[in-house]
Amino acid sequence: MARAGRRGAGWCWALALLGLAAALGASPTSGRRWPVPYKRFSFRPKPDPYCQAKYTFCPTGSPIPVMKDNDIIEVLRLQAPVWEFKYGDLLGHFKIMHDAIGFRNTLTGKNYTIEWYELFQLGNCTFPHLRPEMDAPFWCNQGAACFFEGIDDQHWKENGTLAVVATMSGNTFNKMAEWVKQDNETGIYYETWTVQASPGKGVETWFESYDCSKFVLRTYEKLAEFGAEFKKIETNYTRVFLYSGEPTYLGNETSIFGPKGNKTLASVIKKFYDPFKPRLSTKEFLWSLLKVFDSVIMHREFYLFYNFEYWFLPMKFPFVKITYEEIPLPTRRPPPDS
Ligand SMILES: *[C@@H]1O[C@H](CO)[C@@H](O)[C@H](O)[C@H]1NC(C)=O
Ligand SMILES: *[C@@H]1O[C@H](CO)[C@@H](O)[C@H](O)[C@H]1NC(C)=O
Ligand SMILES: *[C@@H]1O[C@H](CO)[C@@H](O)[C@H](O)[C@H]1NC(C)=O
Ligand SMILES: *[C@@H]1O[C@H](CO)[C@@H](O)[C@H](O)[C@H]1NC(C)=O
Ligand SMILES: *[C@@H]1O[C@H](CO)[C@@H](O)[C@H](O)[C@H]1NC(C)=O
Ligand SMILES: *[C@@H]1O[C@H](CO)[C@@H](O)[C@H](O)[C@H]1NC(C)=O
Ligand SMILES: *[C@@H]1O[C@H](CO)[C@@H](O)[C@H](O)[C@H]1NC(C)=O
């Protein structure tokens, strides 16, 4: 059950971990508002047939059931390590965690899992394909929510976390289900990196990631808004950071790679992505990442693709970092005025 899901998540983090990153720099005088908001779409397009999943996305997925208003539903925090990796002293030794949410209907005894992950695995979400017949780099970067019946206790418990974090009514669950459908239709692509000016709290964030843990955090917030009561326990999440000076906007696919585009810039971006071609084999892919890691750091440049647009990141020390830090559970609050 959820094999593919887990594998997907694993990929995602494996890469992230390695993930090296990038960039360029600028002075904070652009007047832009940061972080750049993640773009929502009016609907989810069918992926291009070029994008072929190695592992079927959400093979045991099912529609979200309707609960009775008075049912009592427990919300479970699900977290499990997907990858451990050591890369010299630079990255150290990391536990990369995948996050999901479990639900248990205490009246029916049925339980469910929801997780958000890549349709075509992490490599495809992080780096594009350079197709000879196409001018622009080609991305298979969709991510989506997968809901299925059951919770694989052993998977989450053994080296991870399976813990009740909140209790709510069936009515709240049903409201969440409506929200998830909409969130799933409008937030369609995966984003590996969080890009910040430097490590630490309270520093400028240029871009937010959009991954499995962000889905969990977003859903918790919604549940609190709908009336779920959360416990006060420490909840930590893995995040993959890139550090850079103020990013520079470069353009979108048409403006850069189209007939009126800047050919020099187009070829610089393609050259940047060339060593990162998504590979079929995980091992091969990780090795190719390792090989380019140093060169990315040396040149202090990264070309970030975000909202289907390209940005230059002037990379700064320590370039890339993986953290496992607390993000508190939400406290109950009334919905925003409508
Ligand atoms: C990444 O995308 C390519 C192109 O569609 C596909 O052949 C490959 O299977 C994908 N990788 C994985 C791990 O799904
Ligand atoms: C989210 O969208 C994907 C892709 O269309 C779909 O397979 C999945 O079932 C949807 N998830 C939910 C919870 O609706
Ligand atoms: C989920 O349900 C299955 C089947 O009844 C059970 O084996 C498992 O312990 C339950 N897990 C949780 C966390 O409720
Ligand atoms: C838990 O960790 C141990 C030691 O690293 C490993 O052998 C085992 O397969 C892990 N279990 C699961 C369910 O991932
Ligand atoms: C790409 O950028 C150009 C120039 O800024 C703009 O006119 C065009 O609408 C953009 N295309 C898309 C698909 O956003
Ligand atoms: C084209 O891109 C290159 C590389 O980013 C830049 O140096 C050059 O100024 C650009 N040319 C124009 C006309 O914008
Ligand atoms: C969780 O994060 C907090 C601060 O963000 C840190 O002090 C704590 O050590 C972390 N817990 C684990 C198990 O890493």
Side-chain angles (χ1 to χ4, degrees):
M1 209 172 16
R3 268 291 118 225
R6 244 171 249 132
R7 222 182 266 260
W11 245 102
C12 112
W13 279 117
L15 192 175
L17 145 61
L18 280 186
L20 321 184
L24 58 133
S27 59
T29 52
S30 66
R32 219 172 244 288
R33 279 183 43 217
W34 306 102
V36 172
Y38 177 84
K39 188 174 173 188
R40 294 265 165 190
F41 292 79
S42 50
F43 68 99
R44 178 186 288 278
K46 276 237 168 316
D48 190 285
Y50 178 84
C51 303
Q52 290 294 326
K54 200 164 176 200
Y55 311 101
T56 308
F57 174 80
C58 202
T60 61
S62 62
I64 305 181
V66 177
M67 304 290 175
K68 295 208 181 70
D69 279 357
N70 301 330
D71 283 358
I72 295 164
I73 318 282
E74 285 175 342
V75 181
L76 298 116
R77 159 176 160 86
L78 305 177
Q79 190 174 67
V82 293
W83 198 269
E84 286 189 78
F85 189 77
K86 194 168 162 63
Y87 181 62
D89 296 331
L90 207 46
L91 291 180
H93 194 59
F94 293 101
K95 269 214 286 191
I96 307 296
M97 310 299 263
H98 171 62
D99 292 278
I101 307 176
F103 301 100
R104 175 163 49 206
N105 186 323
T106 58
L107 300 183
T108 65
K110 284 196 175 178
N111 59 40
Y112 311 89
T113 304
I114 189 162
E115 52 188 349
W116 197 95
Y117 66 96
E118 317 88 325
L119 264 60
F120 309 102
Q121 314 292 303
L122 183 62
N124 278 317
C125 287
T126 310
F127 298 114
H129 295 259
L130 299 179
R131 300 168 63 182
E133 73 277 21
M134 292 203 160
D135 292 322
F138 187 85
W139 293 82
C140 296
N141 58 346
Q142 280 200 34
C146 171
F147 181 93
F148 56 94
E149 193 173 331
I151 293 177
D152 181 351
D153 291 25
Q154 198 200 340
H155 173 72
W156 304 106
K157 258 187 203 156
E158 197 158 291
N159 300 315
T161 309
L162 186 157
V164 175
V165 289
T167 305
M168 64 186 185
S169 67
N171 181 266
T172 299
F173 178 91
N174 295 339
K175 283 189 195 155
M176 178 207 69
E178 285 310 307
W179 172 82
V180 163
K181 277 177 219 156
Q182 195 212 335
D183 184 74
N184 194 39
E185 277 301 290
T186 59
I188 59 176
Y189 65 94
Y190 189 99
E191 179 57 51
T192 305
W193 316 104
T194 301
V195 189
Q196 280 192 355
S198 61
K201 294 219 183 336
V203 302
E204 193 86 71
T205 298
W206 312 120
F207 300 93
E208 296 276 12
S209 63
Y210 200 85
D211 59 7
C212 52
S213 70
K214 276 286 154 67
F215 172 78
V216 167
L217 292 164
R218 231 172 21 252
T219 306
Y220 285 169
E221 285 295 330
K222 273 290 153 190
L223 290 177
E225 187 184 312
F226 293 150
E229 304 266 10
F230 280 85
K231 298 186 169 181
K232 291 200 172 45
I233 55 171
E234 187 182 78
T235 50
N236 290 24
Y237 303 86
T238 303
R239 298 171 83 191
V240 186
F241 289 95
L242 292 183
Y243 300 108
S244 91
E246 187 175 19
T248 311
Y249 179 72
L250 298 174
N252 61 31
E253 295 186 353
T254 328
S255 70
I256 299 173
F257 300 96
K260 296 207 189 105
N262 176 336
K263 297 276 177 291
T264 315
L265 178 60
S267 82
V268 167
I269 295 178
K270 287 211 240 183
K271 210 168 156 208
F272 171 77
Y273 280 119
D274 190 56
F276 297 108
K277 270 175 284 211
R279 313 281 164 141
L280 284 181
S281 127
T282 310
K283 218 161 141 195
E284 217 185 344
F285 183 61
L286 293 178
W287 274 114
S288 90
L289 269 180
L290 283 180
K291 276 188 276 173
V292 290
F293 190 13
D294 296 299
S295 80
V296 169
I297 286 175
M298 245 159 55
H299 294 102
R300 310 210 160 198
E301 297 186 341
F302 196 93
Y303 291 87
L304 181 76
F305 185 64
Y306 198 89
N307 289 341
F308 290 86
E309 295 172 327
Y310 288 89
W311 296 78
F312 175 72
L313 308 182
M315 296 301 278
K316 293 196 328 201
F317 182 83
F319 309 106
V320 57
K321 203 168 169 181
I322 306 189
T323 65
Y324 185 65
E325 278 167 28
E326 180 174 21
I327 300 177
L329 290 168
T331 46
R332 190 168 178 176
R333 57 187 165 75
D337 289 338
S338 43

